[in-house]
Amino acid sequence: MYYHFIQNRVIYEKKFFERFSDRVVCITGSPGAFITASLLVIVWAVCGPLFNYSETWQLVINTGTTIVTFLMVFLIQKTQNKDSKAIQIKLNELIASYEKASNRLVDIEDLTEEELDKLHKYYEKLGQLSQEKEHSQDPVQQ
């Protein structure tokens, strides 16, 4: 029962973080967020002469942008990972539903970089052979 409680809490926290990160990414990607950030930079720049362009004045913008960038990298990466998984699942469904498709490609994202390069070269060659075959059968070309 204790494990069940912990398991439910972990699931709840995952859902909370997922909802939180999705919402933050939506808000920060909005025109309002861009305008707000632009206004903050303008206010900071206007305050420059008031603070004699001191190191502290510069440190404020540097620290603020560094913190925001650092946190946003993780939120954006989390969102991109989720989107990438969703796209992979959709592509896998399309491959699986097409009877002539090769099911060898269903979990292609698990291959190494070298394996992907080899597969890419294979499909490039396959495309070239297909084009050559089309050109050789085209009556206009003959």
Side-chain angles (χ1 to χ4, degrees):
M1 189 163 173
Y2 180 72
Y3 174 74
H4 183 68
F5 171 76
I6 292 174
Q7 187 178 8
N8 286 342
R9 183 180 172 106
V10 170
I11 290 170
Y12 176 76
E13 287 174 2
K14 283 183 182 178
K15 289 180 182 179
F16 171 77
F17 181 71
E18 192 166 328
R19 286 191 319 257
F20 171 77
S21 63
D22 290 344
R23 186 77 179 132
V24 169
V25 169
C26 285
I27 291 170
T28 57
S30 70
F34 177 78
I35 291 168
T36 302
S38 298
L39 288 173
L40 284 171
V41 171
I42 291 169
V43 167
W44 170 80
V46 168
C47 291
L50 297 173
F51 294 101
N52 296 321
Y53 301 101
S54 68
E55 287 184 25
T56 303
W57 172 78
Q58 292 176 19
L59 192 60
V60 167
I61 197 74
N62 289 341
T63 303
T65 56
T66 300
I67 290 169
V68 169
T69 301
F70 179 77
L71 295 174
M72 286 305 297
V73 163
F74 295 104
L75 288 176
I76 292 169
Q77 185 63 51
K78 190 246 177 271
T79 303
Q80 285 182 332
N81 288 347
K82 180 181 172 186
D83 291 346
S84 178
K85 277 184 185 177
I87 289 170
Q88 287 301 321
I89 291 168
K90 289 176 184 180
L91 290 172
N92 288 348
E93 174 64 19
L94 288 172
I95 292 169
S97 68
Y98 185 64
E99 63 188 52
K100 293 183 180 180
S102 170
N103 288 333
R104 293 176 294 155
L105 299 178
V106 169
D107 288 327
I108 196 170
E109 64 274 5
D110 295 331
L111 298 178
T112 66
E113 193 76 30
E114 294 81 25
E115 291 169 328
L116 288 172
D117 289 339
K118 287 179 186 177
L119 200 55
H120 179 73
K121 288 177 184 174
Y122 169 77
Y123 278 100
E124 277 183 337
K125 185 69 174 172
L126 196 62
Q128 290 171 355
L129 292 173
S130 176
Q131 285 179 346
E132 290 171 7
K133 183 178 177 184
E134 284 178 13
H135 287 301
S136 68
Q137 294 176 352
D138 190 1
V140 176
Q141 295 285 334
Q142 294 175 357

